[in-house]
């Protein structure tokens, strides 16, 4: 796994967006994996490992999360900024290598053989909404789209549940207390192993100078959510504009992607296949073998 960053522009200057980069840098398939609201790029470590033999897998920390910079102006946390940031990332990771004369010849050969690189998007929750928005634009570079527990209609009740903990910035004396908290607020992720819970907590944690532990995201990401009254988010117009092959994953107990919404999505827009995972709410973490296999089979199918 390689670690890098790309410079992105916001209203107060530049900020760094961190990302992990796995697999073959010269692969014609580039998989972009984008996390949920309070999560980070390391959520996809298990999926990236499963795809690395066939693809290049790039997983960013969106601004304010993980190792990426926090934005100076908290009002900038929103989809317009995130779309600008991932567009900069796409420009970086989809370019064929041209750094040296030899690599330039290789790049020309790869262009002739494969043409433009194929961009495959895997998005969990917020990352999936971002993928929907980008895939709906004319001339979108996204060739395949995986939506993980996010749909064309997001209920107000689910947003209210999320708002109860996002931005609260709790502090804990020990790492073990933090992990207990993560297990509680993220119980809807489903039956994970102790090692998987440790992985999610470790890479979502931040230790402060006084030794206390907290979450590795800017509490300010919640500001846009709190400034306006919460209501259902209707993305049906966006959904109907998507034409690329699409796979929708759903936790059987999800309150964010309701079953009736998923069923309606089957018959509209890209008419996706919908796979439901028992014993999981919002959202499947793409760590279980059956969840990874569903994504891998879809992305690698001709």
């Amino acid at each position: 796994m390689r670690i890098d960053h790309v410079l992105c522009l916001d209203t107060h200057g530049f900020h760094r967006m961190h990302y992990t980069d796995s697999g073959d840098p010269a692969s014609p398939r580039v998989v972009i994996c984008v996390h949920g609201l309070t999560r980070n790029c390391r959520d996809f470590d298990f999926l990236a490992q499963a795809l690395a033999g066939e693809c290049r897998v790039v997983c960013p920390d969106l601004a304010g999360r993980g190792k990426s910079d926090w934005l100076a102006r908290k009002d900038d946390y929103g989809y317009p900024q995130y779309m600008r940031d991932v567009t900069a990332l796409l420009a970086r990771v989809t370019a064929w290598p041209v750094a040296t004369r030899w690599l330039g010849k290789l790049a020309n050969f790869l262009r002739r053989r494969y043409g433009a690189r194929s961009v495959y998007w895997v998005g969990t929750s917020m990352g999936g909404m971002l993928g929907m928005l980008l895939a709906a634009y004319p001339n979108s570079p996204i060739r395949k789209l995986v939506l993980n527990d996010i749909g064309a209609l997001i209920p107000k009740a689910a947003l209210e549940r999320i708002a109860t903990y996002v931005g609260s910035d709790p502090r804990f004396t020990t790492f073990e207390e933090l992990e207990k908290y993560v297990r509680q607020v993220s119980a809807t992720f489903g039956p994970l192993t102790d090692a998987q819970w440790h992985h999610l907590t470790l890479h979502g944690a931040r230790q402060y100078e006084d030794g206390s532990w907290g979450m590795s995201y800017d509490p300010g990401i919640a500001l846009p959510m709190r400034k306006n009254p919460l209501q259902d988010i209707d993305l049906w117009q966006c959904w109907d504009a998507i034409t690329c092959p699409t796979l929708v994953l759903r936790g059987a107990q999800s309150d964010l992607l309701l079953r009736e919404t998923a069923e309606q999505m089957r018959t509209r827009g890209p008419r996706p296949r919908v796979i439901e995972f028992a014993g999981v709410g919002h959202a499947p973490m793409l760590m279980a073998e059956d969840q990874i296999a569903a994504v891998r089979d879809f992305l690698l199918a001709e």
Side-chain angles (χ1 to χ4, degrees):
M1 178 188 294
R2 302 169 295 276
I3 297 176
D4 205 342
H5 72 272
V6 61
L7 282 176
C8 305
L9 184 63
D10 59 62
T11 58
H12 280 70
F14 287 94
H15 61 272
R16 294 176 303 167
M17 185 169 69
H18 165 277
Y19 63 91
T20 61
D21 192 347
S22 306
D24 180 5
S27 173
R29 299 186 181 104
V30 180
V31 182
I32 308 294
C33 301
V34 185
H35 56 77
L37 180 63
T38 64
R39 298 302 310 165
N40 62 83
C41 68
R42 302 301 298 272
D43 287 359
F44 297 103
D45 281 3
F46 292 75
L47 178 63
Q49 184 176 10
L51 293 172
E54 304 287 341
C55 309
R56 181 181 184 182
V57 186
V58 177
C59 309
D61 283 333
L62 294 184
R65 286 86 168 175
K67 297 185 183 301
S68 291
D69 290 343
W70 293 11
L71 298 183
R73 186 175 182 270
K74 307 310 177 185
D75 285 339
D76 284 346
Y77 286 122
Y79 289 93
Q81 184 64 55
Y82 303 149
M83 285 193 284
R84 287 191 290 270
D85 290 359
V86 296
T87 298
L89 177 66
L90 285 170
R92 161 78 65 85
V93 302
T94 59
W96 294 111
V98 294
T100 68
R101 182 178 179 183
W102 182 86
L103 285 175
K105 291 180 178 179
L106 174 62
N108 289 332
F109 167 76
L110 293 171
R111 286 194 200 96
R112 289 194 300 271
R113 180 169 182 178
Y114 297 112
R117 280 177 156 173
S118 295
V119 175
Y120 300 160
W121 188 281
V122 179
T124 295
S125 192
M126 180 184 72
M129 188 187 298
L130 185 56
M132 271 195 288
L133 294 172
L134 292 169
Y137 275 101
N139 303 313
S140 172
I142 297 176
R143 297 292 172 259
K144 289 188 177 183
L145 176 64
V146 178
L147 301 180
N148 185 20
D149 214 63
I150 190 72
L153 182 68
I154 303 168
K156 173 185 175 183
L159 297 174
E160 290 174 336
R161 175 184 61 80
I162 294 169
T164 62
Y165 66 86
V166 173
S168 59
D169 195 23
R171 302 289 177 91
F172 302 91
T173 303
T174 66
F175 179 85
E176 290 72 24
E177 291 175 353
L178 174 62
E179 183 172 326
K180 182 179 180 181
Y181 169 79
V182 170
R183 288 179 182 237
Q184 289 174 343
V185 298
S186 306
T188 55
F189 290 173
L192 303 178
T193 67
D194 287 345
Q196 289 168 345
W197 280 119
H198 181 81
H199 179 93
L200 291 176
T201 305
L202 178 65
H203 294 293
R206 181 183 186 189
Q207 189 170 26
Y208 293 86
E209 292 182 0
D210 63 0
S212 64
W213 292 86
M215 302 300 294
S216 63
Y217 69 84
D218 182 356
I221 65 172
L223 181 62
M225 179 181 289
R226 292 176 175 172
K227 285 185 66 174
N228 300 303
L230 295 175
Q231 55 187 346
D232 291 350
I233 299 176
D234 187 331
L235 296 171
W236 284 113
Q237 184 176 0
C238 171
W239 178 251
D240 290 337
I242 297 172
T243 58
C244 65
T246 301
L247 172 67
V248 174
L249 308 178
R250 178 179 183 270
Q253 282 79 53
S254 176
D255 64 344
L256 197 134
L257 175 55
L258 301 179
R259 181 172 285 116
E260 52 265 36
T261 301
E263 289 301 318
Q264 190 174 355
M265 289 169 70
R266 288 182 195 264
T267 66
R268 295 178 57 171
R271 299 176 183 270
R273 182 185 180 194
V274 178
I275 300 177
E276 190 172 274
F277 298 106
V280 182
H282 181 73
M285 289 310 292
L286 308 184
M287 292 178 165
E289 290 185 7
D290 58 338
Q291 297 171 16
I292 291 173
V295 176
R296 189 177 189 278
D297 291 349
F298 171 73
L299 294 182
L300 298 184
E302 296 297 331

